[in-house]
Amino acid sequence: DNAVITVWNLETGRELKNIPTETGPVRALKMLNNDLFACAGTDKIRIWSSNTYECLVTMTGHTGVIRGLEKLPMSRLASFTD
C-alpha cells in the first residue's frame, strides 16, 4: 500500500497538503535547507519542495530499503538500510 506525507499548519491544525509516496510506507522524514527528504519503502530518497510540494529529485544508490535519515553538518545527509 502507498502512503502519504501530510503537511499541517501547526497554528490552525489545518491540513495543507497530502504528498503521495507512490512506493510504500514512509520510513523516514527530514527537513534540510527548506526541503523535505523522504524514504518510503524503497532504496530511494525523494526530495520535495516545502514551498510547492513537488518532487525535485530522486536519489538512488542503496541496495536495500532505507530505514532512516540523519541531517549532518554542511548540508549533508546520511541514510541507512538494514
Side-chain angles (χ1 to χ4, degrees), residues 42-45 59-66 68-69 78-81:
T42 69
D43 58 351
K44 297 172 180 64
I45 300 168
M59 300 166 63
T60 61
H62 278 290
T63 57
V65 174
I66 298 171
L69 300 171
S79 56
F80 63 91
T81 63

Side-chain angles (χ1 to χ4, degrees), residues 30-37 48 50-51 56 71 74-76:
K30 287 288 178 182
M31 285 294 294
L32 182 62
N33 299 332
N34 292 321
D35 293 322
L36 181 63
F37 289 66
W48 302 88
S50 63
N51 295 320
L56 302 174
K71 187 169 98 172
M74 299 178 4
S75 297
R76 295 182 183 182

Side-chain angles (χ1 to χ4, degrees), residues 9-78:
N9 180 312
L10 294 178
E11 292 177 4
T12 65
R14 203 181 85 205
E15 182 180 301
L16 298 176
K17 182 72 174 180
N18 281 320
I19 304 169
T21 64
E22 303 173 2
T23 55
V26 177
R27 303 282 184 208
L29 289 172
K30 287 288 178 182
M31 285 294 294
L32 182 62
N33 299 332
N34 292 321
D35 293 322
L36 181 63
F37 289 66
C39 301
T42 69
D43 58 351
K44 297 172 180 64
I45 300 168
R46 287 190 168 78
I47 304 172
W48 302 88
S49 166
S50 63
N51 295 320
T52 65
Y53 306 112
E54 293 180 61
C55 183
L56 302 174
V57 69
T58 300
M59 300 166 63
T60 61
H62 278 290
T63 57
V65 174
I66 298 171
R67 300 291 182 192
L69 300 171
E70 187 58 44
K71 187 169 98 172
L72 301 175
M74 299 178 4
S75 297
R76 295 182 183 182
L77 183 78

